[in-house]
Amino acid sequence: MKLATLKDGTRDGKLVVVSKDITRYCAADNIAPTMQYALDNWDEVAPNLEALYRDVEHQTVPCERFHENDAHSPLPRAYQWADGSAYINHVELVRKARNSEVPDSFYHDPLMYQGGSDTFLAPRQDIPLGDTAWGCDMEGEVAVITGDVPMGVSAENAADHIKLVMLVNDVSLRGLIPGELAKGFGFFQSKPSSAFSPVAVTPDELGDAWKDSLIHLPLLVDYNREAFGRAEAGVDATFNLAQLVAHAAKTRNLAAGTIIGSGTVSNKGEDGGPGKPVSEGGSGYSCIAEIRMIETIYDGGPKTRFMQPGDTVKIEMKDKDGHTIFGAIKQEVVQA
Amino acid sequence: MKLATLKDGTRDGKLVVVSKDITRYCAADNIAPTMQYALDNWDEVAPNLEALYRDVEHQTVPCERFHENDAHSPLPRAYQWADGSAYINHVELVRKARNSEVPDSFYHDPLMYQGGSDTFLAPRQDIPLGDTAWGCDMEGEVAVITGDVPMGVSAENAADHIKLVMLVNDVSLRGLIPGELAKGFGFFQSKPSSAFSPVAVTPDELGDAWKDSLIHLPLLVDYNREAFGRAEAGVDATFNLAQLVAHAAKTRNLAAGTIIGSGTVSNKGEDGGPGKPVSEGGSGYSCIAEIRMIETIYDGGPKTRFMQPGDTVKIEMKDKDGHTIFGAIKQEVVQA
């Protein structure tokens, strides 16, 4: 099924069930008023939400027109947002840009940071930027929302705890990252509020495209209305999302509504080297830091600047028939 | 006023107003069902909660007996938990233990990490430990809960956004820290669920002891029922809690219910060097890592082992008349 949270003036918005083609919705008030409520009581409410989804599909309940602009992030705020780095090609490229090596451990022990989850941006909300020197970048990723996950869960069993899948723009301030990482406590100021796709879907909704806890479809990232990234999310993933959930649960339970991200989706080139831009027939990039590194490798220095007020990003994924699955994240950077 | 959250079988518990001596409570159902609700609507509900607090004090409303064992952490789960390192003496000691220098920037740019906030332990809940090799440690700290804080707030204005004050045991797995910090993304598995004091209080409740966004009272940490730490929380703080809130809000808004921690409370010795144990007349330590470092400095190696199943910790603070302010965090480590 497909779920969304509509803005209604409250902090948590209201949960709605959306049609497969995301043109219609029916409010789920009687079943679960909010997305967090649904996740807190998933076993009980999911069958009723699924039944409502069938009714919405068959148009046997009154529906209203679904506008992506009216949607908040599926969880407008969450109790946990932890982001991994499944696509090691991204890590290799950004480390190369910082002249630092990728340790061996990164290939078997996932990188993951604890993100801020108290205020997410809506999928069509502007990205407020205090200072262009902060080096604003997008990061196109896949994310999952879990139910309750017991401490010490295996990666195999973790897959069963993935309730919903969505997309994310993990906004990053590249100019602040080196200073923060040098302090040793990870990202904080360098990772302001992220935005998620208008619609979150159950894994079964993805059909064959959901395999081994990865989506086997390209992530479509447009930058200033031009194709920028077309990386396959099922390719070059050193870890899948179930493995990232298990990593997060090693020393503690994870509560329902935990969001785990894949890290920036990134493919190697056909020759195993760094991938080419979309304009040169490559799969491109899901963030600006990568193209800057490619420019550095081939041209001796970065040419593409980070995002400035007025720059726009669109992140989306389409099924094999070309229909949008999650709706589109569409954001513009504005001066804060 | 003093507020607590009682366990009632729900994830968020129920908000109660507690008497100053924390022996009685009155449910706040009609004003705010949960602590998060109160924080989300603070300006509207705080005056009503204050009125109920006066009634509880004057015993003009029916009250029930308050048992600290029945309390959950004031926020059983939160949308944000970020922990600073205000007491640079702690940082100096643990860095010395890792043979790493404290960079100059640490004295003007606060250290802060994003913590997991989806599942907090109750103040009297056991600490589940998967493996004693993980090196379980307590960290006694002061924490504040904020209302909505606008991005870019000054430290001066940040003080007004501090709504409640409490204590925290920031459980740390020392054995996992070096590996995680080496990966560069900060703490994750090494910081499992924290526990907070049974009672949270408004800053005015602290009277003269709340000055410059610090509590000027000793933090009482007992380890295995013996005095272990008596560090003054108003002394040797390089940053106060308002400065830490402002640091957190530099690049994004903070939503109501954000918890910001002080970091481990830690005093230098009278001679400016590392402090002495309580048994030798010093102010002792709020975590085991510090005493192990002191042992290393004086005896060539650590003697005190990290926490094992059966070890207990108690964290509390008393006013000048010797009355508990927040109730006591009392926890025992158990095998998970």
Side-chain angles (χ1 to χ4, degrees):
Chain A
M1 65 180 154
K2 297 198 173 190
L3 301 175
T5 294
L6 291 190
K7 291 183 266 189
D8 67 349
T10 67
R11 290 175 188 260
D12 296 306
K14 79 169 179 177
L15 180 67
V16 299
V17 173
V18 182
S19 61
K20 193 175 187 67
D21 64 2
I22 72 168
T23 61
R24 303 185 305 286
Y25 78 85
C26 181
D29 310 47
N30 299 334
I31 303 169
T34 65
M35 183 71 83
Q36 183 64 47
Y37 181 97
L39 291 157
D40 283 345
N41 304 281
W42 190 257
D43 290 345
E44 187 191 323
V45 307
N48 298 327
L49 292 172
E50 291 278 7
L52 180 55
Y53 180 58
R54 286 190 295 271
D55 290 343
V56 168
E57 276 306 280
H58 298 145
Q59 308 207 38
T60 56
V61 284
C63 288
E64 301 197 54
R65 182 120 200 117
F66 181 74
H67 298 286
E68 296 179 46
N69 280 325
D70 297 339
H72 211 307
S73 283
L75 283 168
R77 54 181 179 174
Y79 293 107
Q80 176 154 250
W81 155 232
D83 200 10
S85 277
Y87 302 87
I88 206 82
N89 189 54
H90 169 75
V91 182
E92 288 171 352
L93 283 172
V94 295
R95 293 251 159 178
K96 208 172 269 185
R98 295 206 294 267
N99 279 318
S100 64
E101 285 292 301
V102 177
D104 246 14
S105 69
F106 284 19
Y107 297 90
H108 53 83
D109 179 31
L111 275 173
M112 183 173 282
Y113 75 89
Q114 192 88 49
S117 56
D118 59 313
T119 55
F120 292 135
L121 300 175
R124 303 296 174 95
Q125 193 173 345
D126 292 336
I127 301 169
L129 179 62
D131 186 342
T132 54
W134 292 348
C136 185
D137 200 356
M138 72 266 199
E139 289 196 343
E141 313 184 6
V142 174
V144 297
I145 308 180
T146 74
D148 289 300
V149 182
M151 171 171 164
V153 71
S154 67
E156 293 70 39
N157 292 338
D160 296 336
H161 297 287
I162 294 175
K163 303 305 182 196
L164 293 166
V165 187
M166 56 189 177
L167 306 179
V168 51
N169 178 16
D170 180 41
V171 180
S172 299
L173 301 175
R174 302 287 178 199
L176 302 182
I177 288 179
E180 283 203 320
L181 295 198
K183 287 161 71 180
F185 274 26
F187 308 102
F188 195 95
Q189 295 176 336
S190 53
K191 293 282 187 179
S193 302
S194 299
F196 295 83
S197 53
V199 174
V201 313
T202 45
D204 66 294
E205 194 65 41
L206 296 162
D208 293 345
W210 180 252
K211 209 169 57 186
D212 296 332
S213 297
L214 289 171
I215 309 182
H216 294 262
L217 288 169
L219 184 70
L220 314 177
V221 179
D222 288 1
Y223 183 47
N224 289 332
R225 293 170 190 84
E226 290 186 13
F228 188 78
R230 295 292 181 266
E232 290 284 343
V235 172
D236 294 330
T238 307
F239 307 101
N240 65 36
L241 285 149
Q243 289 172 311
L244 295 179
V245 170
H247 179 83
K250 180 178 172 182
T251 61
R252 52 173 148 128
N253 299 326
L254 309 179
T258 288
I259 305 172
I260 303 285
S262 68
T264 309
V265 178
S266 181
N267 293 162
K268 291 181 186 292
E270 283 179 10
D271 57 356
K276 287 188 184 152
V278 174
S279 58
E280 296 176 23
S283 61
Y285 318 101
S286 305
C287 71
I288 294 171
E290 288 194 17
I291 196 169
R292 286 169 56 89
M293 189 56 221
I294 303 289
E295 289 163 351
T296 302
I297 292 169
Y298 291 114
D299 309 322
K303 281 185 308 190
T304 308
R305 63 176 193 190
F306 288 116
M307 296 175 85
Q308 313 259 333
D311 286 331
T312 62
V313 56
K314 178 179 169 191
I315 300 174
E316 194 172 14
M317 200 174 248
K318 291 182 176 172
D319 63 22
K320 279 164 190 158
D321 301 322
H323 299 124
T324 189
I325 300 174
F326 307 96
I329 297 169
K330 275 188 190 175
Q331 299 182 276
E332 179 173 333
V333 174
V334 297
Q335 186 66 46
Chain B
M1 67 178 152
K2 298 198 173 191
L3 301 175
T5 294
L6 291 189
K7 292 184 265 188
D8 67 349
T10 67
R11 292 175 186 259
D12 296 307
K14 79 169 180 178
L15 180 67
V16 300
V17 173
V18 182
S19 62
K20 194 174 186 69
D21 64 2
I22 74 169
T23 61
R24 302 184 308 285
Y25 78 86
C26 182
D29 309 48
N30 300 335
I31 304 169
T34 65
M35 183 71 85
Q36 182 64 47
Y37 182 96
L39 291 156
D40 283 346
N41 304 281
W42 190 258
D43 290 345
E44 186 191 323
V45 307
N48 298 326
L49 292 172
E50 291 279 8
L52 180 55
Y53 180 58
R54 287 191 294 272
D55 290 343
V56 168
E57 276 305 282
H58 297 148
Q59 307 207 39
T60 55
V61 282
C63 288
E64 301 197 54
R65 181 119 199 119
F66 181 75
H67 297 287
E68 295 181 46
N69 281 323
D70 298 339
H72 211 308
S73 283
L75 283 168
R77 53 182 179 174
Y79 293 106
Q80 178 154 246
W81 155 232
D83 200 9
S85 277
Y87 302 88
I88 206 81
N89 190 52
H90 169 75
V91 181
E92 288 170 352
L93 283 172
V94 296
R95 294 250 158 178
K96 209 173 269 186
R98 296 205 294 268
N99 279 316
S100 64
E101 286 292 302
V102 176
D104 245 14
S105 69
F106 285 20
Y107 297 89
H108 52 82
D109 179 30
L111 274 174
M112 182 172 284
Y113 75 90
Q114 191 89 47
S117 55
D118 59 313
T119 55
F120 292 135
L121 300 176
R124 303 297 174 94
Q125 193 173 347
D126 293 336
I127 300 169
L129 180 61
D131 186 342
T132 54
W134 292 348
C136 185
D137 199 357
M138 72 267 199
E139 289 195 343
E141 314 184 5
V142 174
V144 297
I145 309 181
T146 74
D148 289 300
V149 182
M151 172 171 164
V153 71
S154 68
E156 293 69 40
N157 292 338
D160 295 335
H161 297 287
I162 295 175
K163 303 305 181 194
L164 293 166
V165 187
M166 56 189 176
L167 305 180
V168 51
N169 177 15
D170 179 41
V171 180
S172 299
L173 302 175
R174 302 285 180 200
L176 302 182
I177 288 179
E180 283 204 318
L181 294 198
K183 287 161 72 181
F185 273 26
F187 308 101
F188 195 94
Q189 295 176 336
S190 53
K191 292 281 187 182
S193 302
S194 298
F196 296 82
S197 53
V199 175
V201 313
T202 45
D204 66 294
E205 194 65 42
L206 296 162
D208 293 344
W210 180 252
K211 208 170 57 187
D212 296 332
S213 297
L214 290 171
I215 308 181
H216 294 261
L217 289 170
L219 183 70
L220 314 176
V221 179
D222 288 1
Y223 184 46
N224 289 331
R225 293 170 191 82
E226 289 186 15
F228 188 78
R230 296 292 181 264
E232 291 284 344
V235 172
D236 293 331
T238 308
F239 307 102
N240 65 35
L241 284 148
Q243 289 172 310
L244 295 179
V245 170
H247 179 83
K250 180 178 171 183
T251 60
R252 52 173 150 126
N253 299 326
L254 309 179
T258 288
I259 306 173
I260 303 285
S262 69
T264 309
V265 177
S266 181
N267 292 163
K268 292 181 186 294
E270 284 181 7
D271 56 356
K276 287 187 184 155
V278 174
S279 59
E280 296 175 24
S283 60
Y285 318 101
S286 306
C287 70
I288 294 172
E290 286 193 17
I291 195 169
R292 286 169 57 90
M293 188 57 221
I294 303 290
E295 290 163 353
T296 302
I297 291 169
Y298 290 115
D299 309 323
K303 283 185 306 190
T304 308
R305 64 176 192 189
F306 288 116
M307 298 175 85
Q308 313 258 333
D311 286 333
T312 62
V313 56
K314 179 179 169 190
I315 300 174
E316 195 172 14
M317 201 173 245
K318 290 182 176 173
D319 64 23
K320 279 165 190 157
D321 301 324
H323 299 124
T324 189
I325 300 173
F326 307 97
I329 297 170
K330 275 189 190 176
Q331 298 183 275
E332 179 173 333
V333 174
V334 297
Q335 185 67 44

